[in-house]
Amino acid sequence: MISKVNPLQGTDSAHDFSTGNTLPIVARPWGMHHWSLQSGRTPWVFNCRHKRLQGIRLTHQPSPWMQDYACMTILPFSGRAYDSAERQASSYRLKDAVIQPNYLEATLLRYGVRFKMSPTERGAIFIFEFSGDDAPKVGFYFDGTHDLQAVGDFGVSGYSGYSKEPVPEGYGLSFIGEFSEKPVRVVRCGWGGYAEFAAGTRRVELRFSGSFIDTDQARLAMDRELGGRSFEDIEATGAAIWNELLGRIEIEDESERQERIFYSCLYRCLLFPRFLDELDASGETYHRSPYDGKVRSGSLCADSGFWDVYRTLYPLLVLVYPEVLRRMLDGWLSACRESGWAPKWPSPGPRLCMIGTHFDVFVADVVAKGITDWDVEAAFEYLWKNASRESDDPHFGREGLKDFSDLGYVAADRHDHAAACTLDYAYNDFCVAQVARFLGKTEEADMLLRRARNYRNVFDPAVGFMRGRNADGTWLEPFREFEWGGAFIEGSTWQHTLNVPHDPEGLAELLGGPEALCQKLDTMLSIEPRFEAGSYDFEIHEASEMAAADFGQYAHSNQPVHGFLFLYALMGQPEKTVEWVHRVCKELYSPDKFPGDEDNGEMSAWYIWACLGLFPQCPGKAEYVCFEPLLKKLKIHLPDGPPLLLGRVHHSDTLRISHDELLQRSVVGSGV
C-alpha cells in the first residue's frame, strides 16, 4: 500500500494560497517524531517547487500556522561550513528522490552526497554516501535554544527546546546520535554544529533517538528501536506497519490515479495526533508533561486542533482503528489532568487558536459508538467544566459562556466571532448532554439540551441567515452576507448558517422547511464566490481558495461547511448529495493537491468518507448518512469481526444507518 501513497500531496502551497499546506512526512503512524525534506525557512518548511534542500528536518509542526518545536535539521555536506542551513543548501532533483511513509532518499548535487533514512517511533537511521576528497561532515542546525556536544568516540548528544507558546522552562527534546565512523572532531557553533570525518570516508551511518524526558531515555529508545538492527530491517518493519494500517481499507477495481488519491489521503489520517509518550526500562509508559514539566505515568497525545478534526478524522478512527483510538483516550485524559482543562489546540501544550470546546464532540462520539471501557466519568469532569465555567485563560474553555447561558447567545458587541461561537457552543452542549445521559446525570443533560437550542437565537428570519446579535438584543448592523470575520470565523454567514449538525430538522424549520433548506443549499452552490475582507482587513487564504474553486459560497477549503452537502440527503434530496459530493472529490482533490489546508487529517478523512458512501454528519450521534459512494467497491478489515463491504454495488436507498447496525452487517444497504 505504501507504494500508492504520495507524501508530496499538498506540498505546493504558500502563505496566501493552500493546496494542503502539508509536509512530505516520513514517520511511523502517530509517531513521536516526524521527518521531512526541508527546502525553506519555517513555518513553510518545504515546497515541491523548490530546487534546493537545506537538509532532513526533525519536525513536530502539525501545521505551518502552528510553530514547530523541538526541531532540528540534519544535513550531510563537505567543504566549508556556513552559518545557516540556507547557505549550506544544495540543489537536488525531486524526480530522482524517493519519498515514502517509511523511507526517504535523495542526492545533494552540490556535494555529491546520497542519503537515505528510515524512521522508528522515537528515532531514525540514516546512511550518508559521500564522494570526493574533502572531509565529509554531518551538520545539525537548530531554530532556537539548543546544545550539541561530542559523547564518547562515536557519538553526539544535545538538546532542542524552541516554542513560541508557553511551555514549562526546560521543556524540549534531548537527543543522542551514534555514527558508524569515528568523527575527527565535533564542532559547536552558534547555529548548532557538525561532526567531521576523515577525508576519503565514503559511508557514514547515523543512528538517532530523541526523548522529551532526558538523554538516558533517548538511549533506552535507541537500544530498543535501533539496537542491533540493520537499515533494511528497520525499513521493512516500517513498511509492514504502514501496509497493515493502510490495508485496513481495501479498494478494488479502481484506476491507479484513484488509488493514489485514496491511499495518500488515508496516510494523512494516520499521522496526527502524535503520541508523546515513551517506555521506561521496564516497558511502562510515561511522558514529560508540556503543561507542568513533570514526568508522569501514562500516555500523552498532542498536535491536534479539535475545531478542525472533530467532524471527520476522529469518527474515522473510531470506525476503522478503534484500538488506536483507545490509546488516544488515555493520552487526551493525561492532557486534561495536567492542564486542568480539556484540550483545544495542544501543540505540545495549549496554543491559542480557534473557538469552541470540540473535545466535547470527540468524547461524545466515542461514547455514543460504544467505546465506554475507559474512565468516561473522569472525562466528563472536563466536559462539564467547559459547559459551566468560563476560563480566565483564553487557551481553554469558551469565551463568552456567561452570555451564552444568560442571554441565550454570545453577544457580538462583547466578543469576537460571537455568532459562530453561539453555533459551536450549542452543538458542544448537545454533545456534553449525550455523555451526561450515559452517566445517568439527567439534570445536567436536560439543562444542556435546552441550551443546545440556543442556535435559534442568532437566526434572523428577516434576512434568512445566522447573524451577530448585541447584548441588548438588537442585531449587529449593517447586515452584510459576504463579510468575513466579525461575528463569524474564517468565513461569512454563508459558511456558518447551516452549521447545526445536532438539529438539522430544527434548522430546516427556521428556514421554512426541508425544501427551503435545499433551496438555500442550491443558492449557496450557484451564486458567485464573492467575499469582503471584513474584520481580517485582508484577503485570507481560505477566501482565495473558495474563489478559485468555483463552487459558489461552498468553501470546501475550510471545515465549517464540511457537513452541509449531506443535508440534502437528510432533507429528502439524496441525489444532490451524491452529485455535489462526487463533484468535490473529482474537481478539488487530486494525487497532488487538496482544496485547502489539510489540517491534521480532516480534509483527507472527508474524502475517505465520500469514498465509503457514509458520513458522520453529527459526531455524538451513533449514526451515519448513507449515499452513493464515490468508489465501486471497498472492504474495511475491522480489527474485531468480519470485513465490512461497501460500494456502489451494495448501495440502496437507505439514508441513515446506526453505528451498531453498520458493524453488524457484512453489506451496507436496506434489504441486505
mmCIF file of all heavy atoms in Angstrom, residues 138-178:
data_model
loop_
_atom_site.group_PDB
_atom_site.id
_atom_site.type_symbol
_atom_site.label_atom_id
_atom_site.label_comp_id
_atom_site.label_asym_id
_atom_site.label_seq_id
_atom_site.Cartn_x
_atom_site.Cartn_y
_atom_site.Cartn_z
ATOM 1 N N VAL A 138 28.581 16.017 8.834
ATOM 2 C CA VAL A 138 27.140 15.920 9.086
ATOM 3 C C VAL A 138 26.778 17.068 10.009
ATOM 4 O O VAL A 138 27.247 17.133 11.158
ATOM 5 C CB VAL A 138 26.749 14.575 9.719
ATOM 6 C CG1 VAL A 138 25.251 14.559 10.054
ATOM 7 C CG2 VAL A 138 27.091 13.414 8.775
ATOM 8 N N GLY A 139 25.981 18.008 9.491
ATOM 9 C CA GLY A 139 25.628 19.200 10.243
ATOM 10 C C GLY A 139 24.297 19.067 10.961
ATOM 11 O O GLY A 139 23.389 18.362 10.512
ATOM 12 N N PHE A 140 24.185 19.778 12.088
ATOM 13 C CA PHE A 140 22.955 19.834 12.883
ATOM 14 C C PHE A 140 22.599 21.302 13.056
ATOM 15 O O PHE A 140 23.342 22.061 13.691
ATOM 16 C CB PHE A 140 23.153 19.174 14.251
ATOM 17 C CG PHE A 140 23.492 17.712 14.187
ATOM 18 C CD1 PHE A 140 24.809 17.288 13.998
ATOM 19 C CD2 PHE A 140 22.500 16.754 14.315
ATOM 20 C CE1 PHE A 140 25.129 15.943 13.945
ATOM 21 C CE2 PHE A 140 22.811 15.404 14.257
ATOM 22 C CZ PHE A 140 24.128 14.992 14.065
ATOM 23 N N TYR A 141 21.476 21.722 12.484
ATOM 24 C CA TYR A 141 21.039 23.111 12.521
ATOM 25 C C TYR A 141 19.785 23.223 13.384
ATOM 26 O O TYR A 141 18.883 22.379 13.314
ATOM 27 C CB TYR A 141 20.729 23.621 11.114
ATOM 28 C CG TYR A 141 21.945 23.645 10.210
ATOM 29 C CD1 TYR A 141 22.361 22.505 9.541
ATOM 30 C CD2 TYR A 141 22.676 24.813 10.044
ATOM 31 C CE1 TYR A 141 23.480 22.522 8.717
ATOM 32 C CE2 TYR A 141 23.796 24.844 9.218
ATOM 33 C CZ TYR A 141 24.189 23.689 8.558
ATOM 34 O OH TYR A 141 25.298 23.714 7.749
ATOM 35 N N PHE A 142 19.698 24.300 14.193
ATOM 36 C CA PHE A 142 18.595 24.471 15.130
ATOM 37 C C PHE A 142 17.933 25.828 14.912
ATOM 38 O O PHE A 142 18.565 26.778 14.452
ATOM 39 C CB PHE A 142 19.100 24.370 16.570
ATOM 40 C CG PHE A 142 19.722 23.037 16.894
ATOM 41 C CD1 PHE A 142 21.072 22.813 16.668
ATOM 42 C CD2 PHE A 142 18.958 22.008 17.405
ATOM 43 C CE1 PHE A 142 21.654 21.586 16.961
ATOM 44 C CE2 PHE A 142 19.519 20.773 17.697
ATOM 45 C CZ PHE A 142 20.873 20.562 17.471
ATOM 46 N N ASP A 143 16.665 25.907 15.290
ATOM 47 C CA ASP A 143 15.917 27.151 15.147
ATOM 48 C C ASP A 143 15.992 28.030 16.393
ATOM 49 O O ASP A 143 15.748 29.223 16.329
ATOM 50 C CB ASP A 143 14.437 26.857 14.868
ATOM 51 C CG ASP A 143 14.212 26.357 13.453
ATOM 52 O OD1 ASP A 143 15.184 26.296 12.689
ATOM 53 O OD2 ASP A 143 13.060 26.024 13.121
ATOM 54 N N GLY A 144 16.241 27.452 17.545
ATOM 55 C CA GLY A 144 16.199 28.216 18.783
ATOM 56 C C GLY A 144 17.159 27.651 19.809
ATOM 57 O O GLY A 144 18.275 27.245 19.477
ATOM 58 N N THR A 145 16.719 27.607 21.057
ATOM 59 C CA THR A 145 17.547 27.109 22.148
ATOM 60 C C THR A 145 18.041 25.710 21.839
ATOM 61 O O THR A 145 17.267 24.827 21.474
ATOM 62 C CB THR A 145 16.731 27.088 23.454
ATOM 63 O OG1 THR A 145 16.205 28.394 23.679
ATOM 64 C CG2 THR A 145 17.600 26.675 24.627
ATOM 65 N N HIS A 146 19.363 25.503 22.015
ATOM 66 C CA HIS A 146 19.903 24.205 21.632
ATOM 67 C C HIS A 146 21.255 23.960 22.295
ATOM 68 O O HIS A 146 21.868 24.863 22.869
ATOM 69 C CB HIS A 146 20.076 24.117 20.115
ATOM 70 C CG HIS A 146 21.095 25.075 19.582
ATOM 71 N ND1 HIS A 146 20.772 26.362 19.215
ATOM 72 C CD2 HIS A 146 22.438 24.953 19.369
ATOM 73 C CE1 HIS A 146 21.847 26.984 18.791
ATOM 74 N NE2 HIS A 146 22.889 26.148 18.875
ATOM 75 N N ASP A 147 21.690 22.717 22.158
ATOM 76 C CA ASP A 147 23.018 22.325 22.614
ATOM 77 C C ASP A 147 23.466 21.149 21.759
ATOM 78 O O ASP A 147 22.644 20.342 21.314
ATOM 79 C CB ASP A 147 22.991 21.932 24.097
ATOM 80 C CG ASP A 147 24.376 21.561 24.618
ATOM 81 O OD1 ASP A 147 25.354 22.234 24.230
ATOM 82 O OD2 ASP A 147 24.479 20.595 25.393
ATOM 83 N N LEU A 148 24.764 21.052 21.514
ATOM 84 C CA LEU A 148 25.337 19.936 20.771
ATOM 85 C C LEU A 148 26.735 19.684 21.318
ATOM 86 O O LEU A 148 27.516 20.628 21.477
ATOM 87 C CB LEU A 148 25.413 20.248 19.272
ATOM 88 C CG LEU A 148 25.998 19.135 18.390
ATOM 89 C CD1 LEU A 148 25.001 17.987 18.253
ATOM 90 C CD2 LEU A 148 26.391 19.671 17.020
ATOM 91 N N GLN A 149 27.044 18.429 21.595
ATOM 92 C CA GLN A 149 28.362 18.099 22.107
ATOM 93 C C GLN A 149 28.734 16.679 21.735
ATOM 94 O O GLN A 149 27.869 15.846 21.456
ATOM 95 C CB GLN A 149 28.411 18.279 23.619
ATOM 96 C CG GLN A 149 27.381 17.456 24.379
ATOM 97 C CD GLN A 149 27.332 17.815 25.848
ATOM 98 O OE1 GLN A 149 28.338 18.196 26.433
ATOM 99 N NE2 GLN A 149 26.155 17.696 26.453
ATOM 100 N N ALA A 150 30.053 16.418 21.732
ATOM 101 C CA ALA A 150 30.548 15.065 21.471
ATOM 102 C C ALA A 150 30.333 14.197 22.701
ATOM 103 O O ALA A 150 30.467 14.656 23.836
ATOM 104 C CB ALA A 150 32.031 15.120 21.113
ATOM 105 N N VAL A 151 30.014 12.925 22.446
ATOM 106 C CA VAL A 151 29.851 11.949 23.517
ATOM 107 C C VAL A 151 30.621 10.695 23.120
ATOM 108 O O VAL A 151 30.304 10.070 22.099
ATOM 109 C CB VAL A 151 28.367 11.610 23.765
ATOM 110 C CG1 VAL A 151 28.251 10.515 24.824
ATOM 111 C CG2 VAL A 151 27.593 12.833 24.189
ATOM 112 N N GLY A 152 31.630 10.323 23.882
ATOM 113 C CA GLY A 152 32.429 9.158 23.544
ATOM 114 C C GLY A 152 33.178 9.370 22.241
ATOM 115 O O GLY A 152 33.380 10.495 21.772
ATOM 116 N N ASP A 153 33.582 8.282 21.643
ATOM 117 C CA ASP A 153 34.358 8.366 20.405
ATOM 118 C C ASP A 153 33.486 8.481 19.161
ATOM 119 O O ASP A 153 33.936 8.992 18.132
ATOM 120 C CB ASP A 153 35.254 7.126 20.271
ATOM 121 C CG ASP A 153 36.386 7.126 21.282
ATOM 122 O OD1 ASP A 153 36.752 8.218 21.761
ATOM 123 O OD2 ASP A 153 36.881 6.037 21.612
ATOM 124 N N PHE A 154 32.242 7.987 19.230
ATOM 125 C CA PHE A 154 31.435 7.861 18.022
ATOM 126 C C PHE A 154 30.104 8.610 18.083
ATOM 127 O O PHE A 154 29.284 8.461 17.190
ATOM 128 C CB PHE A 154 31.146 6.380 17.735
ATOM 129 C CG PHE A 154 32.344 5.600 17.304
ATOM 130 C CD1 PHE A 154 33.201 5.048 18.241
ATOM 131 C CD2 PHE A 154 32.627 5.420 15.965
ATOM 132 C CE1 PHE A 154 34.316 4.324 17.847
ATOM 133 C CE2 PHE A 154 33.728 4.695 15.556
ATOM 134 C CZ PHE A 154 34.585 4.151 16.501
ATOM 135 N N GLY A 155 29.875 9.402 19.127
ATOM 136 C CA GLY A 155 28.536 9.946 19.280
ATOM 137 C C GLY A 155 28.455 11.437 19.516
ATOM 138 O O GLY A 155 29.445 12.130 19.758
ATOM 139 N N VAL A 156 27.231 11.936 19.420
ATOM 140 C CA VAL A 156 26.884 13.297 19.798
ATOM 141 C C VAL A 156 25.627 13.241 20.649
ATOM 142 O O VAL A 156 24.860 12.273 20.597
ATOM 143 C CB VAL A 156 26.630 14.205 18.571
ATOM 144 C CG1 VAL A 156 27.899 14.417 17.778
ATOM 145 C CG2 VAL A 156 25.521 13.641 17.688
ATOM 146 N N SER A 157 25.422 14.262 21.430
ATOM 147 C CA SER A 157 24.171 14.409 22.158
ATOM 148 C C SER A 157 23.833 15.880 22.204
ATOM 149 O O SER A 157 24.675 16.742 21.906
ATOM 150 C CB SER A 157 24.267 13.835 23.577
ATOM 151 O OG SER A 157 25.120 14.635 24.377
ATOM 152 N N GLY A 158 22.617 16.184 22.571
ATOM 153 C CA GLY A 158 22.241 17.582 22.595
ATOM 154 C C GLY A 158 20.810 17.794 23.008
ATOM 155 O O GLY A 158 20.146 16.894 23.546
ATOM 156 N N TYR A 159 20.329 18.995 22.704
ATOM 157 C CA TYR A 159 19.023 19.437 23.183
ATOM 158 C C TYR A 159 18.448 20.441 22.192
ATOM 159 O O TYR A 159 19.169 21.270 21.637
ATOM 160 C CB TYR A 159 19.200 20.080 24.560
ATOM 161 C CG TYR A 159 17.966 20.760 25.107
ATOM 162 C CD1 TYR A 159 16.971 20.028 25.745
ATOM 163 C CD2 TYR A 159 17.800 22.140 24.979
ATOM 164 C CE1 TYR A 159 15.845 20.656 26.254
ATOM 165 C CE2 TYR A 159 16.677 22.774 25.485
ATOM 166 C CZ TYR A 159 15.708 22.025 26.118
ATOM 167 O OH TYR A 159 14.592 22.639 26.614
ATOM 168 N N SER A 160 17.141 20.370 21.961
ATOM 169 C CA SER A 160 16.433 21.356 21.154
ATOM 170 C C SER A 160 15.155 21.728 21.876
ATOM 171 O O SER A 160 14.320 20.863 22.154
ATOM 172 C CB SER A 160 16.112 20.791 19.765
ATOM 173 O OG SER A 160 15.365 21.716 18.998
ATOM 174 N N GLY A 161 14.986 23.004 22.186
ATOM 175 C CA GLY A 161 13.839 23.393 23.004
ATOM 176 C C GLY A 161 13.227 24.709 22.608
ATOM 177 O O GLY A 161 13.249 25.669 23.366
ATOM 178 N N TYR A 162 12.651 24.798 21.427
ATOM 179 C CA TYR A 162 12.124 26.060 20.920
ATOM 180 C C TYR A 162 10.614 26.006 20.779
ATOM 181 O O TYR A 162 10.079 25.092 20.180
ATOM 182 C CB TYR A 162 12.752 26.369 19.563
ATOM 183 C CG TYR A 162 12.295 27.665 18.936
ATOM 184 C CD1 TYR A 162 12.520 28.883 19.561
ATOM 185 C CD2 TYR A 162 11.635 27.668 17.720
ATOM 186 C CE1 TYR A 162 12.123 30.070 18.978
ATOM 187 C CE2 TYR A 162 11.228 28.845 17.123
ATOM 188 C CZ TYR A 162 11.481 30.050 17.764
ATOM 189 O OH TYR A 162 11.070 31.215 17.185
ATOM 190 N N SER A 163 9.923 26.979 21.337
ATOM 191 C CA SER A 163 8.471 27.080 21.155
ATOM 192 C C SER A 163 8.049 28.507 21.435
ATOM 193 O O SER A 163 8.535 29.137 22.373
ATOM 194 C CB SER A 163 7.729 26.123 22.088
ATOM 195 O OG SER A 163 6.337 26.289 21.964
ATOM 196 N N LYS A 164 7.132 29.028 20.622
ATOM 197 C CA LYS A 164 6.635 30.387 20.834
ATOM 198 C C LYS A 164 5.591 30.449 21.943
ATOM 199 O O LYS A 164 5.398 31.480 22.568
ATOM 200 C CB LYS A 164 6.035 30.938 19.533
ATOM 201 C CG LYS A 164 7.061 31.482 18.559
ATOM 202 C CD LYS A 164 6.382 32.230 17.423
ATOM 203 C CE LYS A 164 7.399 32.915 16.535
ATOM 204 N NZ LYS A 164 6.770 33.637 15.420
ATOM 205 N N GLU A 165 4.895 29.364 22.148
ATOM 206 C CA GLU A 165 3.830 29.366 23.138
ATOM 207 C C GLU A 165 4.370 28.929 24.499
ATOM 208 O O GLU A 165 5.416 28.278 24.587
ATOM 209 C CB GLU A 165 2.706 28.432 22.682
ATOM 210 C CG GLU A 165 1.955 28.943 21.466
ATOM 211 C CD GLU A 165 1.060 30.122 21.764
ATOM 212 O OE1 GLU A 165 0.612 30.271 22.907
ATOM 213 O OE2 GLU A 165 0.809 30.916 20.848
ATOM 214 N N PRO A 166 3.669 29.254 25.570
ATOM 215 C CA PRO A 166 4.190 28.925 26.900
ATOM 216 C C PRO A 166 4.221 27.423 27.158
ATOM 217 O O PRO A 166 3.221 26.721 27.050
ATOM 218 C CB PRO A 166 3.194 29.623 27.839
ATOM 219 C CG PRO A 166 1.943 29.789 27.028
ATOM 220 C CD PRO A 166 2.410 29.994 25.619
ATOM 221 N N VAL A 167 5.404 26.934 27.456
ATOM 222 C CA VAL A 167 5.606 25.576 27.950
ATOM 223 C C VAL A 167 6.526 25.697 29.151
ATOM 224 O O VAL A 167 7.192 26.718 29.331
ATOM 225 C CB VAL A 167 6.231 24.643 26.886
ATOM 226 C CG1 VAL A 167 5.268 24.399 25.736
ATOM 227 C CG2 VAL A 167 7.547 25.194 26.377
ATOM 228 N N PRO A 168 6.579 24.704 29.999
ATOM 229 C CA PRO A 168 7.441 24.803 31.182
ATOM 230 C C PRO A 168 8.896 25.038 30.797
ATOM 231 O O PRO A 168 9.376 24.567 29.767
ATOM 232 C CB PRO A 168 7.258 23.446 31.859
ATOM 233 C CG PRO A 168 5.931 22.963 31.386
ATOM 234 C CD PRO A 168 5.801 23.459 29.982
ATOM 235 N N GLU A 169 9.596 25.783 31.624
ATOM 236 C CA GLU A 169 11.004 26.064 31.372
ATOM 237 C C GLU A 169 11.784 24.753 31.260
ATOM 238 O O GLU A 169 11.626 23.849 32.083
ATOM 239 C CB GLU A 169 11.577 26.917 32.503
ATOM 240 C CG GLU A 169 13.006 27.352 32.267
ATOM 241 C CD GLU A 169 13.520 28.278 33.356
ATOM 242 O OE1 GLU A 169 12.710 28.646 34.241
ATOM 243 O OE2 GLU A 169 14.713 28.618 33.333
ATOM 244 N N GLY A 170 12.602 24.663 30.231
ATOM 245 C CA GLY A 170 13.410 23.466 30.037
ATOM 246 C C GLY A 170 12.735 22.368 29.255
ATOM 247 O O GLY A 170 13.352 21.330 28.997
ATOM 248 N N TYR A 171 11.476 22.583 28.853
ATOM 249 C CA TYR A 171 10.805 21.541 28.080
ATOM 250 C C TYR A 171 11.375 21.510 26.670
ATOM 251 O O TYR A 171 11.448 22.538 25.988
ATOM 252 C CB TYR A 171 9.299 21.799 28.008
ATOM 253 C CG TYR A 171 8.544 20.699 27.290
ATOM 254 C CD1 TYR A 171 8.095 19.593 27.991
ATOM 255 C CD2 TYR A 171 8.310 20.758 25.924
ATOM 256 C CE1 TYR A 171 7.407 18.576 27.340
ATOM 257 C CE2 TYR A 171 7.630 19.749 25.268
ATOM 258 C CZ TYR A 171 7.183 18.656 25.988
ATOM 259 O OH TYR A 171 6.515 17.644 25.342
ATOM 260 N N GLY A 172 11.793 20.343 26.237
ATOM 261 C CA GLY A 172 12.354 20.209 24.903
ATOM 262 C C GLY A 172 12.809 18.792 24.650
ATOM 263 O O GLY A 172 12.496 17.870 25.415
ATOM 264 N N LEU A 173 13.568 18.609 23.590
ATOM 265 C CA LEU A 173 13.978 17.288 23.138
ATOM 266 C C LEU A 173 15.447 17.053 23.455
ATOM 267 O O LEU A 173 16.316 17.813 23.029
ATOM 268 C CB LEU A 173 13.758 17.159 21.626
ATOM 269 C CG LEU A 173 13.966 15.757 21.055
ATOM 270 C CD1 LEU A 173 12.796 14.853 21.435
ATOM 271 C CD2 LEU A 173 14.128 15.812 19.546
ATOM 272 N N SER A 174 15.714 15.996 24.206
ATOM 273 C CA SER A 174 17.078 15.525 24.406
ATOM 274 C C SER A 174 17.349 14.438 23.377
ATOM 275 O O SER A 174 16.508 13.568 23.168
ATOM 276 C CB SER A 174 17.258 14.965 25.821
ATOM 277 O OG SER A 174 17.000 15.957 26.791
ATOM 278 N N PHE A 175 18.517 14.473 22.757
ATOM 279 C CA PHE A 175 18.775 13.502 21.694
ATOM 280 C C PHE A 175 20.187 12.951 21.777
ATOM 281 O O PHE A 175 21.088 13.572 22.364
ATOM 282 C CB PHE A 175 18.530 14.127 20.313
ATOM 283 C CG PHE A 175 19.476 15.233 19.954
ATOM 284 C CD1 PHE A 175 20.703 14.971 19.338
ATOM 285 C CD2 PHE A 175 19.151 16.558 20.218
ATOM 286 C CE1 PHE A 175 21.578 15.988 18.999
ATOM 287 C CE2 PHE A 175 20.014 17.593 19.885
ATOM 288 C CZ PHE A 175 21.236 17.304 19.276
ATOM 289 N N ILE A 176 20.360 11.792 21.189
ATOM 290 C CA ILE A 176 21.683 11.211 21.024
ATOM 291 C C ILE A 176 21.810 10.716 19.590
ATOM 292 O O ILE A 176 20.824 10.350 18.953
ATOM 293 C CB ILE A 176 21.947 10.038 22.000
ATOM 294 C CG1 ILE A 176 20.905 8.931 21.815
ATOM 295 C CG2 ILE A 176 21.970 10.519 23.433
ATOM 296 C CD1 ILE A 176 21.220 7.673 22.609
ATOM 297 N N GLY A 177 23.031 10.753 19.087
ATOM 298 C CA GLY A 177 23.317 10.224 17.764
ATOM 299 C C GLY A 177 24.592 9.402 17.812
ATOM 300 O O GLY A 177 25.569 9.801 18.459
ATOM 301 N N GLU A 178 24.581 8.269 17.147
ATOM 302 C CA GLU A 178 25.759 7.409 17.095
ATOM 303 C C GLU A 178 26.154 7.189 15.642
ATOM 304 O O GLU A 178 25.325 6.765 14.824
ATOM 305 C CB GLU A 178 25.490 6.064 17.772
ATOM 306 C CG GLU A 178 25.414 6.143 19.276
ATOM 307 C CD GLU A 178 25.357 4.760 19.920
ATOM 308 O OE1 GLU A 178 25.176 3.766 19.179
ATOM 309 O OE2 GLU A 178 25.494 4.687 21.147
#
